[in-house]
Amino acid sequence: MVNDIVNLFEIPHIRSVGQVVKVDSYSVTVNIPDDDTLKTLNVNGFVILHTSNPNVRLIGRIDRVLRVDDITHYAIEDGISLKVNNSAIINALGTLNGPNIERQRAQFTRAVEVLPEIGADCFYLTGEYLSSFTSLVAEENATSDTALTLGSYAISNDSKAILDGDAFFQRHAMIVGSTGSGKSYTVAKIVEQAASLKNSNMIILDLHGEYSPLAEHDKIKKFRIAGPGDLDNPGEEVLFLPYWLLGYEDMLALILDRTDENAPNQAMVFSTTVLEAKRNLLEEMVLLEELETFTIDSPIPYKMNYVVDKIEELNNERVQGAKGLVNGPFKGRFDRFLPRINSKLDDRRYGFLFNLDEEKLKSDYLIKLVNDLMEPSSDENSGVKIVDFSEVPSDILPIVISLVAKIVFQIQQWTPSERRYPISLLCDEAHLYLPAKQLADASEKRALTHFERIAKEGRKYGVSLTIISQRPSELNTTIMSQCNNVIALRLSNQSDKNAVSNLLPENLGGIKEVLPTLGVGEGIVVGDACLLPSRIKIDQPIYKPKSNSLKFWSIWKDGQVNQNLNQSVKNLQRQTLE
């Protein structure tokens, strides 16, 4: 390997494709002497340029190739000749430092330490030189203990594309691509590698149940938020998320109509009644320590029936006046509020929140829930947890998903720093619950509050986000801006391309034009985890998600009809899948 790398500093002059004629802050213009050489250059190809330091080379990416038809004159000894002005615009990517006394092999870094001088030679990396360079980049990560393999470089199939797993999760990441681009395969490829680590810790927020097949891995476990069919006889994989885990504002977003003229009174009375209900339970259980410090947002169980009964008393209250009984101060103020609460309590779709047995009305249930979600991998536990939200009603989906994220963040926050164990949240179809603020409704705004905090502060507490979406243009920009690693698969929509381009460094802005041309399973990888912004062919995962689109024409032509519509109707009526 060392001999191959040294060759990058000893490329024969005859392989030079041109000389530098212009140098900007991060770009270089190279004059190409003839048309034949110009035809060999490809946009997004890599070049190596000499600098004033013989042990330092600049690595660049070809951004544009130009053939200018204007004829220019220049003087030579035997007279005047004509020449076409061909050129290539090179964007600086990083620096290749040669071996030295301390380091036995060359090293590539993202820092642009020095730019070439006017007249410096430029070499186009192809064949063995390209393989040598990509192998060097791969080796930088492969020799570390944090190697994360995605696939191979599109420009050099024999070189593995290896990311720094630490950098990928430490600084948040985003995986975007249109439907059918290979987004789910990319996620599955990352997840199955994480699951194979000794003590992994990851939660996949799965909206449609498409990652269920990954649970075949012995270190991946699937949970499912309880649906209407699970309320009477839930299995071990079924999770309930009790209403008492919701914070005050989250609960109001669920049950309060802000347009109601009595909304302020309703919010005030609800808060005081909940505080009273929590205090009663703590006194009943003689939990004196908690009694002194609890707040309305503390995850302390309380009985919703007690709250409803108290509000109903106030709504019907008559008090003694000067001339007899008169309406109380809140008489009739909750005529619309109480039916809204009761409709939620009676709706089996919300059973995972409100249909709770005695065990789930005890504070110990939170301990069980946290252990199910956050226990790292061990001989007894699966480190990667898939949480299936497919049966959660769409109108409260943002609140429910953010509840899981909030619990994880708060547990990390209240763990002493020396005992924190890192955990990653993979947010599938994030545009459905993390939209741009101007598009968000009340429940989505509450979700944004929790996720924005994780995006900004999560790294300090060992919580990482990986945002997964097919519509980056609809995502919240605050959360996107915190993602320092981007895997962009095929994107055709102009607004989606622009959204991704805004996350790229200025010298990589031209990459967005490549996004519509990517093949299935091909992605542009940019960020702290990847030394070299690269086009990568993603390897197929062993455990494939259920994301394949049905082949309409082929099935219509030759497929077997085995759909049982009668059973489907029954499933719909029972709200359970059989």
Side-chain angles (χ1 to χ4, degrees):
M1 175 64 75
V2 173
N3 291 335
D4 289 341
I5 294 171
V6 169
N7 285 339
L8 293 173
F9 289 83
E10 301 175 357
I11 303 176
H13 179 74
I14 194 173
R15 292 183 63 93
S16 172
V17 296
Q19 287 75 43
V20 174
V21 296
K22 181 180 178 182
V23 179
D24 288 325
S25 57
Y26 64 84
S27 69
V28 174
T29 302
V30 174
N31 184 65
I32 311 300
D34 58 78
D35 287 355
D36 290 339
T37 302
L38 190 73
K39 292 175 183 177
T40 65
L41 304 182
N42 293 319
V43 172
N44 293 317
F46 297 118
V47 299
I48 186 169
L49 299 104
H50 284 185
T51 69
S52 57
N53 187 334
N55 203 41
V56 176
R57 298 286 187 266
L58 179 73
I59 300 297
R61 177 183 67 87
I62 299 176
D63 184 53
R64 283 185 293 169
V65 178
L66 306 173
R67 185 182 190 280
V68 181
D69 291 333
D70 294 336
I71 306 299
T72 59
H73 294 70
Y74 65 97
I76 56 176
E77 291 183 1
D78 56 351
I80 301 297
S81 181
L82 301 177
K83 184 181 179 182
V84 177
N85 184 21
N86 298 327
S87 62
I89 310 299
I90 311 296
N91 285 340
L93 290 181
T95 303
L96 187 67
N97 295 294
N100 55 32
I101 296 176
E102 299 177 356
R103 187 181 60 249
Q104 297 302 309
R105 62 187 182 88
Q107 183 182 48
F108 174 75
T109 66
R110 292 275 296 278
V112 179
E113 299 173 0
V114 60
L115 291 170
E117 299 176 331
I118 299 297
D121 282 323
C122 174
F123 299 90
Y124 186 42
L125 293 178
T126 59
E128 61 180 330
Y129 295 102
L130 177 61
S131 296
S132 178
F133 175 63
T134 54
S135 296
L136 170 66
V137 173
E139 189 175 323
E140 290 288 333
N141 286 331
T143 54
S144 74
D145 294 329
T146 60
L148 169 62
T149 305
L150 279 186
S152 57
Y153 291 106
I155 58 174
S156 180
N157 291 331
D158 56 344
S159 296
K160 284 291 183 183
I162 301 176
L163 309 186
D164 183 333
D166 271 347
F168 187 82
F169 287 107
Q170 277 177 342
R171 302 292 301 278
H172 306 311
M174 186 168 69
I175 302 173
V176 295
S178 302
T179 300
S181 62
K183 185 170 68 275
S184 299
Y185 272 29
T186 304
V187 175
K189 180 66 179 175
I190 294 171
V191 168
E192 67 183 19
Q193 288 182 76
S196 299
L197 300 177
K198 181 180 179 182
N199 299 120
S200 57
N201 201 8
M202 177 183 288
I203 300 174
I204 305 171
L205 307 176
D206 185 4
L207 265 64
H208 305 301
E210 65 178 299
Y211 294 101
S212 298
L214 274 66
E216 295 177 16
H217 192 293
D218 60 358
K219 289 300 179 182
I220 300 178
K221 185 173 183 179
K222 177 191 171 183
F223 292 101
R224 183 166 51 83
I225 303 299
D230 301 310
L231 303 181
D232 299 324
N233 188 26
E236 288 186 4
E237 80 284 358
V238 172
L239 290 180
F240 286 78
L241 299 173
Y243 58 86
W244 51 267
L245 294 175
L246 292 168
Y248 170 62
E249 291 293 340
D250 296 329
M251 195 67 183
L252 289 184
L254 180 64
I255 63 175
L256 187 66
D257 181 2
R258 294 286 184 181
T259 63
D260 192 326
E261 63 181 0
N262 289 310
N265 287 324
Q266 295 165 2
M268 179 194 66
V269 170
F270 180 78
S271 66
T272 56
T273 309
V274 168
L275 277 171
E276 184 180 319
K278 289 186 176 184
R279 185 179 294 107
N280 291 343
L281 186 137
L282 292 174
E283 290 174 347
E284 181 183 321
M285 299 178 67
V286 198
L287 297 174
L288 301 181
E289 211 171 299
E290 289 85 346
L291 193 58
E292 294 178 357
T293 59
F294 87 99
T295 69
I296 192 167
D297 285 326
S298 300
I300 303 295
Y302 63 94
K303 294 185 177 181
M304 184 59 77
N305 289 340
Y306 175 88
V307 174
V308 173
D309 290 344
K310 281 290 184 181
I311 294 176
E312 194 164 355
E313 285 179 17
L314 291 174
N315 192 54
N316 298 323
E317 187 179 33
R318 301 266 292 171
V319 297
Q320 186 66 44
K323 297 182 180 180
L325 291 176
V326 296
N327 290 339
F330 297 107
K331 181 75 166 69
R333 302 283 185 180
F334 309 115
D335 284 344
R336 297 172 61 188
F337 185 55
L338 285 166
R340 276 199 300 274
I341 296 179
N342 287 322
S343 68
K344 294 287 194 298
L345 297 179
D346 295 337
D347 193 335
R348 290 180 66 87
R349 295 179 306 156
Y350 301 96
F352 64 91
L353 285 169
F354 299 113
N355 196 325
L356 309 176
D357 57 29
E358 286 300 318
E359 290 300 314
K360 297 176 183 64
L361 287 171
K362 295 179 180 178
S363 56
D364 286 350
Y365 181 75
L366 179 56
I367 297 175
K368 176 186 182 303
L369 179 64
V370 167
N371 277 279
D372 283 341
L373 293 175
M374 299 183 63
E375 190 73 22
S377 177
S378 65
D379 292 339
E380 297 81 23
N381 298 311
S382 299
V384 177
K385 284 77 62 172
I386 301 169
V387 182
D388 182 352
F389 291 86
S390 58
E391 295 195 52
V392 174
S394 59
D395 59 322
I396 63 166
L397 181 65
I399 290 178
V400 175
I401 290 181
S402 68
L403 173 58
V404 173
K406 184 186 75 168
I407 290 172
V408 170
F409 181 73
Q410 289 183 337
I411 292 298
Q412 292 290 95
Q413 190 180 20
W414 289 99
T415 299
S417 58
E418 67 276 7
R419 294 185 181 180
R420 285 190 190 117
Y421 198 83
I423 185 168
S424 178
L425 299 174
L426 274 64
C427 306
D428 187 40
E429 303 288 5
H431 56 280
L432 295 179
Y433 50 94
L434 300 177
K437 278 190 175 178
Q438 64 271 21
L439 302 176
D441 59 24
S443 63
E444 290 166 342
K445 286 178 180 176
R446 290 308 305 158
L448 288 174
T449 299
H450 300 307
F451 276 100
E452 283 184 357
R453 187 174 184 193
I454 295 173
K456 294 173 184 176
E457 305 175 28
R459 186 168 59 91
K460 295 184 290 187
Y461 300 107
V463 184
S464 166
L465 290 178
T466 299
I467 304 300
I468 306 159
S469 175
Q470 58 183 278
R471 292 307 311 271
S473 61
E474 297 179 3
L475 282 169
N476 177 264
T477 53
T478 299
I479 294 172
M480 288 176 65
S481 68
Q482 299 298 316
C483 295
N484 288 276
N485 296 285
V486 179
I487 301 177
L489 293 96
R490 187 177 65 235
L491 287 169
S492 301
N493 183 276
Q494 188 62 41
S495 59
D496 289 333
K497 291 193 297 180
N498 290 338
V500 172
S501 180
N502 290 337
L503 299 175
L504 302 178
E506 190 175 355
N507 63 330
L508 298 177
I511 284 180
K512 77 171 184 177
E513 305 304 332
V514 181
L515 296 178
T517 68
L518 296 174
V520 175
E522 276 191 334
I524 302 293
V525 182
V526 181
D528 297 342
C530 184
L531 281 174
L532 188 69
S534 305
R535 183 170 178 168
I536 292 175
K537 180 67 176 177
I538 311 294
D539 288 343
Q540 287 198 12
I542 298 172
Y543 303 95
K544 298 177 176 60
K546 295 188 296 186
S547 56
N548 286 338
S549 301
L550 293 177
K551 298 179 180 179
F552 283 68
W553 201 264
S554 299
I555 293 175
W556 290 345
K557 180 175 180 289
D558 299 316
Q560 297 294 317
V561 179
N562 58 10
Q563 183 178 19
N564 186 335
L565 295 175
N566 294 342
Q567 184 61 50
S568 299
V569 170
K570 291 180 180 179
N571 292 345
L572 172 62
Q573 292 171 334
R574 297 171 183 169
Q575 291 288 288
T576 185
L577 194 61
E578 292 184 3

